[in-house]
Amino acid sequence: MDDQLQKFMFSSAPVRGEIVSLRNTWREVLTRRRYPAPVRDILGEMMAACALLSANVKFDGTLIMQIFGYGPIKMLVVQCNSTLEMRATAKFSNDLDAEAPAAECPGFAELLNASGHGRCVITLDPRERRPGQQAYQGIVPLKGESGPLQSVAEVLEHYMRHSEQLDTRLWLAANTERAVGMLLQKLPGDGGIVPHAGEHDADTWERVCVLGATLTQAELLNEEPQTLFKRLFWQENVQHFTPVVARFECSCSREKVGSMLKMLGRAEVDGVIDEQGQVEIHCEYCNQRYEFDPVDVAQLFAASGVATGVTPAATQRH
Ligand SMILES: [Zn+2]
């Protein structure tokens, strides 16, 4: 089924998994902006991964996955909240050929980490912040022990191993139609990520990873999740959980943009009014335009004695 995330658990060992297929959620991102093929595919893989990670953590708030690139791609960002409402956007160099087929384009490391300084940042921003509470943030470079990482899946496996101490495998794929992914994770409690000799579950983890490794990108993109699941794990005893529905949803609003303008300050905003006659803010995620004319701006600052909104986090500009 499309736009659904299915969690499952193997009965024979503390190994859990998730499979997600985004179709409309992903198309909503693509209809709002044109991305060159390699940017699109990486963003789509991040979209699937963000849903998988978001559903994987018990947390009420928004998971923000960012990759800061030093190469033709400058930044990719995907956000997903606890109810799988998602949005995504990317910044990239105009030199990237929008028409070139993906096969002729530079690879992940070249696009994002030409200088070796690229990094991935995962932020957990709680829905209700207690006073003084900071968002949790984990950062990993786009290189591993044996050199530059070559895919979104490799980066996140590296992240999970180093930041969360969880042995995790990810399979991700995206094209113009779908963003698809599968996650397998060995839960702690039986020796963590280092299996002990003779440990009863070591075989299960190894076995399901070997089965997962047989998945091809074409299978991921062309088959329904249930078909894939049956094909891979038909011999395993698996408990399925109720699927969760994902959808595109941008959290921007006129009120949030107004709060952001107030943070900029009257002088700054008046400067823009003097220059351009009005302030026009454009949401990078959903393309919505917000216009504030001189009267709107006067009202905004006249009302500024009254708290009208929550201070947005640096990563959630509006
Ligand atoms: Zn928006």
Side-chain angles (χ1 to χ4, degrees):
M1 294 288 280
D2 289 315
D3 297 288
Q4 283 203 356
L5 184 141
Q6 170 80 64
K7 286 189 189 189
F8 53 90
M9 182 103 187
F10 293 93
S11 305
S12 60
V15 174
R16 66 179 173 185
E18 297 170 65
I19 194 160
V20 70
S21 166
L22 303 173
R23 195 182 289 268
N24 292 330
T25 312
W26 177 225
R27 277 197 194 140
E28 290 284 341
V29 173
L30 295 182
T31 55
R32 285 167 166 81
R33 194 157 161 209
R34 190 174 173 78
Y35 293 101
V39 182
R40 178 199 70 211
D41 292 353
I42 293 172
L43 191 64
E45 291 188 6
M46 282 177 67
M47 191 99 175
C50 194
L52 293 169
L53 258 59
S54 181
N56 193 34
V57 290
K58 278 201 166 57
F59 164 75
D60 185 15
T62 303
L63 190 148
I64 305 157
M65 182 183 292
Q66 289 163 293
I67 295 181
F68 294 95
Y70 290 79
I73 303 180
K74 309 300 174 199
M75 192 193 70
L76 303 134
V77 54
V78 181
Q79 300 189 355
C80 180
N81 70 15
S82 312
T83 50
L84 294 195
E85 292 171 341
M86 308 189 71
R87 59 181 190 168
T89 190
K91 282 194 177 73
F92 49 90
S93 159
N94 290 330
D95 301 341
L96 265 181
D97 185 353
E99 307 300 329
E104 291 172 21
C105 291
F108 180 86
E110 213 178 319
L111 285 166
L112 281 154
N113 202 23
S115 69
H117 293 104
R119 64 195 193 280
C120 173
V121 180
I122 307 272
T123 307
L124 294 178
D125 193 18
R127 196 161 61 90
E128 307 260 351
R129 275 202 212 183
R130 293 187 299 275
Q133 186 187 9
Q134 298 290 314
Y136 161 85
Q137 203 162 63
I139 304 173
V140 284
L142 301 186
K143 56 178 182 243
E145 290 81 10
S146 51
L149 301 171
Q150 303 294 341
S151 67
V152 176
E154 282 189 14
V155 170
L156 294 173
E157 287 170 2
H158 185 69
Y159 170 82
M160 293 304 281
R161 184 188 301 273
H162 289 269
S163 293
E164 308 294 320
Q165 275 80 49
L166 287 173
D167 215 350
T168 309
R169 296 281 180 281
L170 280 152
W171 291 269
L172 304 167
N175 60 13
T176 52
E177 299 294 316
R178 295 172 79 193
V180 193
M182 184 175 81
L183 173 149
L184 295 176
Q185 190 167 65
K186 189 179 179 201
L187 293 173
D190 290 88
I193 63 170
V194 185
H196 298 301
E199 189 178 272
H200 82 281
D201 70 305
D203 282 353
T204 303
W205 173 243
E206 301 290 329
R207 187 173 66 250
V208 297
C209 287
V210 168
L211 291 169
T214 64
L215 259 185
T216 63
Q217 292 257 311
E219 274 181 304
L220 268 170
L221 290 170
N222 296 325
E223 304 291 351
E224 291 306 318
Q226 291 90 335
T227 311
L228 285 182
F229 191 89
K230 276 187 204 136
R231 199 177 282 176
L232 290 174
F233 303 125
W234 63 279
Q235 283 185 312
E236 304 292 332
N237 194 0
V238 183
Q239 181 192 355
H240 290 267
F241 298 89
T242 311
V244 189
V245 175
R247 67 189 177 97
F248 179 89
E249 180 71 45
C250 191
S251 53
C252 70
S253 68
R254 190 172 173 84
E255 192 189 358
K256 286 185 186 175
V257 174
S259 300
M260 189 193 72
L261 293 177
K262 281 201 274 190
M263 285 199 332
L264 279 177
R266 185 78 200 242
E268 184 97 3
V269 176
D270 279 347
V272 179
I273 294 274
D274 288 346
E275 228 171 74
Q276 296 169 16
Q278 63 169 4
V279 181
E280 190 178 298
I281 303 286
H282 173 228
C283 177
E284 295 161 29
Y285 292 94
C286 72
N287 254 346
Q288 178 72 42
R289 283 179 188 279
Y290 295 96
E291 292 173 0
F292 290 76
D293 64 19
V295 177
D296 296 328
V297 169
Q299 278 175 352
L300 190 68
F301 284 95
S304 66
V306 185
T308 53
V310 182
T311 306
T315 43
Q316 283 180 294
R317 303 223 309 274
H318 41 266

